[in-house]
Amino acid sequence: MQYGKVEICGVNTSQLKVLKESEKRELLKIMRDGNEKQRREAREKMINGNLRLVLSVIQRFANRGEKPDDLFQVGVIGLIKAIDNFDCTLDVKFSTYGVPMIIGEVRRYLRDNNSIRVSRSMRDTAYHAMQIREQLINKNNKEPSVEEIAKIMELPKETVVLALEAIVEPVSLYEPVFSDGSDTIYVMDQVGDKSDDSDWLDEIAIKEAMKNLSNREKKIIAMRFFQGKTQMEVANEIGISQAQVSRIEKGALSQIKKSI
């Protein structure tokens, strides 16, 4: 099915407007600084101008047997949450923030409709944990630990972990999480590398090869492969997007491979 050429929820998807990044920034500023009417109108334009982003996300869930209309509506809810919570002062594209939010909303919907039965109490615990996680991310601008979430919920860490695992469906390490057109981030890129000396990169060889890298490249490689941090953790610490971390990392690894 070609989502870009069909009608979903009464919307002709082929006629959807696509906003430029500068237009998105302007609308977000109006939502922050304008009067009530201006904020309301800017929000509406922001939603309508990003519906194609929702379409691009729900296409990856097309084989789940769900109706496109239902996925689209759920995706729009994620889009609205992203718009309402996005910090326009950060040097990050809206889509970089919006795509994971839309994916998260769709995944929650699919979990609710999963044929595998999970107890109501466990499901409620898991969703409460995810709400607290999002609140902590918005507050601290970084991924919280399970211990932090469990402490707020006043529950044992094991209980929170079991609840979250009960509603998570398997996912391929090679599933794309986000693409900005020039680079694609996969699930495996968001997993920290905590392996030992059995890793394909011999520590001595890589340190020698790293001498030819720039300071930023050295820092990213060190954080990723010596400290075991995820790309998102590196991005938050350095102050750039995960897509930029991915590009710099891949370029640096390419240089290292040639050296060793």
Short mmCIF file of all heavy atoms in Angstrom, two decimals, residues 3 14 39 66-67 82 86 91 103 105 113-114 117 123 132 137 150 152 164-165 171 176 183 188 207 250 255 257:
data_model
loop_
_atom_site.label_atom_id
_atom_site.label_comp_id
_atom_site.label_asym_id
_atom_site.label_seq_id
_atom_site.Cartn_x
_atom_site.Cartn_y
_atom_site.Cartn_z
N TYR A 3 1.17 4.69 1.13
CA TYR A 3 0.52 5.64 2.03
C TYR A 3 0.50 7.05 1.48
O TYR A 3 -0.38 7.83 1.76
CB TYR A 3 1.23 5.63 3.39
CG TYR A 3 0.95 4.40 4.21
CD1 TYR A 3 1.94 3.47 4.47
CD2 TYR A 3 -0.32 4.16 4.71
CE1 TYR A 3 1.69 2.34 5.23
CE2 TYR A 3 -0.58 3.03 5.47
CZ TYR A 3 0.43 2.13 5.72
OH TYR A 3 0.16 1.01 6.48
N SER A 14 -1.51 12.54 -0.38
CA SER A 14 -0.68 13.06 -1.46
C SER A 14 -0.64 14.58 -1.47
O SER A 14 0.19 15.19 -2.13
CB SER A 14 -1.19 12.55 -2.82
OG SER A 14 -2.47 13.08 -3.09
N ARG A 39 -0.43 31.06 19.41
CA ARG A 39 0.08 29.74 19.81
C ARG A 39 -0.82 28.62 19.29
O ARG A 39 -0.32 27.60 18.82
CB ARG A 39 0.20 29.66 21.34
CG ARG A 39 1.30 30.52 21.93
CD ARG A 39 1.66 30.07 23.33
NE ARG A 39 0.52 30.14 24.23
CZ ARG A 39 0.23 31.19 24.98
NH1 ARG A 39 1.00 32.28 24.93
NH2 ARG A 39 -0.81 31.18 25.79
N GLU A 66 -2.53 -4.19 11.44
CA GLU A 66 -3.36 -3.11 11.97
C GLU A 66 -3.87 -2.22 10.83
O GLU A 66 -3.22 -2.10 9.79
CB GLU A 66 -2.55 -2.26 12.95
CG GLU A 66 -2.04 -3.01 14.16
CD GLU A 66 -3.14 -3.42 15.11
OE1 GLU A 66 -4.22 -2.76 15.11
OE2 GLU A 66 -2.94 -4.39 15.86
N LYS A 67 -5.01 -1.59 11.04
CA LYS A 67 -5.57 -0.70 10.02
C LYS A 67 -4.72 0.57 9.93
O LYS A 67 -4.35 1.14 10.96
CB LYS A 67 -7.01 -0.33 10.38
CG LYS A 67 -7.98 -1.50 10.36
CD LYS A 67 -9.38 -1.04 10.73
CE LYS A 67 -10.36 -2.20 10.69
NZ LYS A 67 -11.72 -1.78 11.09
N ALA A 82 5.16 15.23 20.89
CA ALA A 82 6.49 15.72 20.53
C ALA A 82 6.47 17.24 20.35
O ALA A 82 7.38 17.94 20.80
CB ALA A 82 6.98 15.04 19.25
N PHE A 86 8.69 19.63 22.78
CA PHE A 86 9.98 19.92 22.15
C PHE A 86 10.55 21.25 22.66
O PHE A 86 9.85 22.24 22.79
CB PHE A 86 9.80 20.00 20.63
CG PHE A 86 11.09 20.22 19.89
CD1 PHE A 86 12.03 19.21 19.79
CD2 PHE A 86 11.36 21.44 19.29
CE1 PHE A 86 13.23 19.40 19.10
CE2 PHE A 86 12.55 21.65 18.60
CZ PHE A 86 13.48 20.61 18.51
N ASP A 91 19.81 22.67 19.80
CA ASP A 91 20.26 22.60 18.41
C ASP A 91 20.00 21.19 17.86
O ASP A 91 20.92 20.44 17.54
CB ASP A 91 21.75 22.94 18.32
CG ASP A 91 22.25 22.99 16.87
OD1 ASP A 91 21.41 23.20 15.98
OD2 ASP A 91 23.46 22.82 16.66
N ILE A 103 7.18 6.72 17.24
CA ILE A 103 7.42 5.27 17.31
C ILE A 103 6.97 4.74 18.66
O ILE A 103 6.31 3.69 18.76
CB ILE A 103 8.91 4.95 17.09
CG1 ILE A 103 9.30 5.23 15.64
CG2 ILE A 103 9.21 3.50 17.44
CD1 ILE A 103 10.78 5.05 15.36
N GLU A 105 4.71 5.90 20.70
CA GLU A 105 3.25 5.89 20.82
C GLU A 105 2.65 4.72 20.06
O GLU A 105 1.72 4.05 20.56
CB GLU A 105 2.68 7.21 20.30
CG GLU A 105 1.28 7.53 20.79
CD GLU A 105 1.23 7.77 22.28
OE1 GLU A 105 2.19 8.32 22.85
OE2 GLU A 105 0.19 7.40 22.88
N ASN A 113 -2.63 -4.00 22.20
CA ASN A 113 -3.43 -4.89 21.37
C ASN A 113 -2.73 -6.21 21.10
O ASN A 113 -3.13 -6.97 20.21
CB ASN A 113 -3.76 -4.20 20.04
CG ASN A 113 -4.73 -3.06 20.22
OD1 ASN A 113 -5.94 -3.23 20.22
ND2 ASN A 113 -4.20 -1.86 20.39
N ASN A 114 -1.66 -6.49 21.86
CA ASN A 114 -0.91 -7.72 21.69
C ASN A 114 -1.75 -8.91 22.12
O ASN A 114 -2.46 -8.86 23.12
CB ASN A 114 0.37 -7.66 22.53
CG ASN A 114 1.40 -8.67 22.07
OD1 ASN A 114 1.05 -9.81 21.78
ND2 ASN A 114 2.65 -8.25 22.01
N ARG A 117 -1.27 -12.30 26.64
CA ARG A 117 -1.93 -11.73 27.79
C ARG A 117 -0.92 -11.38 28.89
O ARG A 117 -0.11 -12.19 29.30
CB ARG A 117 -2.96 -12.72 28.37
CG ARG A 117 -4.02 -13.16 27.37
CD ARG A 117 -4.89 -12.01 26.93
NE ARG A 117 -5.67 -11.48 28.04
CZ ARG A 117 -6.49 -10.44 27.93
NH1 ARG A 117 -6.61 -9.81 26.77
NH2 ARG A 117 -7.17 -10.02 28.98
N ARG A 123 0.93 -4.60 33.61
CA ARG A 123 0.84 -3.62 32.53
C ARG A 123 0.80 -2.20 33.09
O ARG A 123 1.47 -1.30 32.59
CB ARG A 123 -0.40 -3.91 31.68
CG ARG A 123 -0.47 -3.08 30.40
CD ARG A 123 -1.79 -3.30 29.69
NE ARG A 123 -1.92 -4.68 29.27
CZ ARG A 123 -1.44 -5.17 28.14
NH1 ARG A 123 -0.76 -4.37 27.34
NH2 ARG A 123 -1.60 -6.43 27.83
N ILE A 132 7.04 7.86 34.07
CA ILE A 132 8.07 8.46 34.92
C ILE A 132 9.36 8.64 34.13
O ILE A 132 10.05 9.66 34.26
CB ILE A 132 8.33 7.58 36.16
CG1 ILE A 132 7.09 7.62 37.08
CG2 ILE A 132 9.58 8.03 36.91
CD1 ILE A 132 7.18 6.71 38.27
N ILE A 137 13.28 12.27 31.61
CA ILE A 137 14.02 12.69 30.42
C ILE A 137 13.76 14.16 30.13
O ILE A 137 14.68 14.93 29.83
CB ILE A 137 13.62 11.83 29.20
CG1 ILE A 137 14.16 10.40 29.36
CG2 ILE A 137 14.16 12.44 27.90
CD1 ILE A 137 13.72 9.46 28.26
N ALA A 150 12.54 3.12 39.74
CA ALA A 150 12.01 2.27 40.81
C ALA A 150 11.91 3.04 42.13
O ALA A 150 10.96 2.84 42.91
CB ALA A 150 12.91 1.04 40.98
N ILE A 152 11.35 6.28 42.57
CA ILE A 152 10.18 7.16 42.53
C ILE A 152 8.89 6.37 42.70
O ILE A 152 7.94 6.80 43.36
CB ILE A 152 10.16 7.95 41.21
CG1 ILE A 152 11.35 8.91 41.15
CG2 ILE A 152 8.84 8.71 41.05
CD1 ILE A 152 11.48 9.66 39.85
N LEU A 164 8.41 -4.08 32.67
CA LEU A 164 8.79 -3.50 31.38
C LEU A 164 9.08 -4.59 30.35
O LEU A 164 8.70 -4.48 29.19
CB LEU A 164 10.01 -2.59 31.55
CG LEU A 164 9.77 -1.29 32.32
CD1 LEU A 164 11.09 -0.59 32.60
CD2 LEU A 164 8.84 -0.38 31.53
N GLU A 165 9.76 -5.65 30.78
CA GLU A 165 10.08 -6.73 29.85
C GLU A 165 8.84 -7.47 29.40
O GLU A 165 8.78 -8.01 28.29
CB GLU A 165 11.06 -7.71 30.51
CG GLU A 165 12.47 -7.15 30.67
CD GLU A 165 13.43 -8.17 31.26
OE1 GLU A 165 12.94 -9.20 31.78
OE2 GLU A 165 14.64 -7.93 31.19
N VAL A 171 12.73 -7.11 18.95
CA VAL A 171 13.05 -6.18 17.88
C VAL A 171 14.42 -6.52 17.31
O VAL A 171 15.32 -6.92 18.04
CB VAL A 171 13.03 -4.72 18.39
CG1 VAL A 171 14.08 -4.52 19.47
CG2 VAL A 171 13.25 -3.74 17.24
N PRO A 176 15.73 0.03 11.60
CA PRO A 176 16.04 1.46 11.60
C PRO A 176 15.21 2.22 12.61
O PRO A 176 14.01 1.98 12.73
CB PRO A 176 15.71 1.88 10.15
CG PRO A 176 14.70 0.88 9.69
CD PRO A 176 15.07 -0.41 10.36
N ASP A 183 21.83 9.76 6.70
CA ASP A 183 22.35 8.71 7.57
C ASP A 183 21.20 8.02 8.27
O ASP A 183 20.16 8.63 8.52
CB ASP A 183 23.30 9.32 8.61
CG ASP A 183 24.09 8.26 9.34
OD1 ASP A 183 24.34 7.20 8.74
OD2 ASP A 183 24.46 8.50 10.49
N MET A 188 20.99 -1.26 16.86
CA MET A 188 22.31 -1.65 17.34
C MET A 188 23.20 -0.44 17.64
O MET A 188 24.11 -0.51 18.45
CB MET A 188 23.00 -2.56 16.32
CG MET A 188 23.35 -1.90 15.00
SD MET A 188 24.06 -3.08 13.82
CE MET A 188 25.49 -3.65 14.73
N LYS A 207 44.06 2.45 19.84
CA LYS A 207 44.64 3.66 20.43
C LYS A 207 45.72 4.24 19.53
O LYS A 207 45.85 5.46 19.40
CB LYS A 207 45.20 3.35 21.81
CG LYS A 207 44.14 3.22 22.89
CD LYS A 207 44.75 2.98 24.25
CE LYS A 207 43.67 2.94 25.33
NZ LYS A 207 44.25 2.68 26.68
N LYS A 250 31.06 6.54 12.44
CA LYS A 250 31.28 5.70 11.27
C LYS A 250 32.49 6.17 10.46
O LYS A 250 33.27 5.37 9.95
CB LYS A 250 30.03 5.67 10.40
CG LYS A 250 28.89 4.88 11.02
CD LYS A 250 27.60 4.98 10.22
CE LYS A 250 26.48 4.21 10.90
NZ LYS A 250 25.18 4.37 10.21
N GLN A 255 38.40 5.25 9.23
CA GLN A 255 39.82 5.64 9.26
C GLN A 255 40.64 4.64 10.06
O GLN A 255 41.75 4.26 9.68
CB GLN A 255 39.97 7.03 9.86
CG GLN A 255 39.43 8.16 9.00
CD GLN A 255 39.76 9.52 9.61
OE1 GLN A 255 40.92 9.83 9.85
NE2 GLN A 255 38.74 10.32 9.84
N LYS A 257 39.97 1.46 10.65
CA LYS A 257 40.09 0.19 9.92
C LYS A 257 41.21 0.24 8.90
O LYS A 257 41.96 -0.71 8.73
CB LYS A 257 38.76 -0.14 9.22
CG LYS A 257 37.64 -0.56 10.16
CD LYS A 257 36.36 -0.82 9.39
CE LYS A 257 35.21 -1.17 10.32
NZ LYS A 257 33.94 -1.38 9.58
#
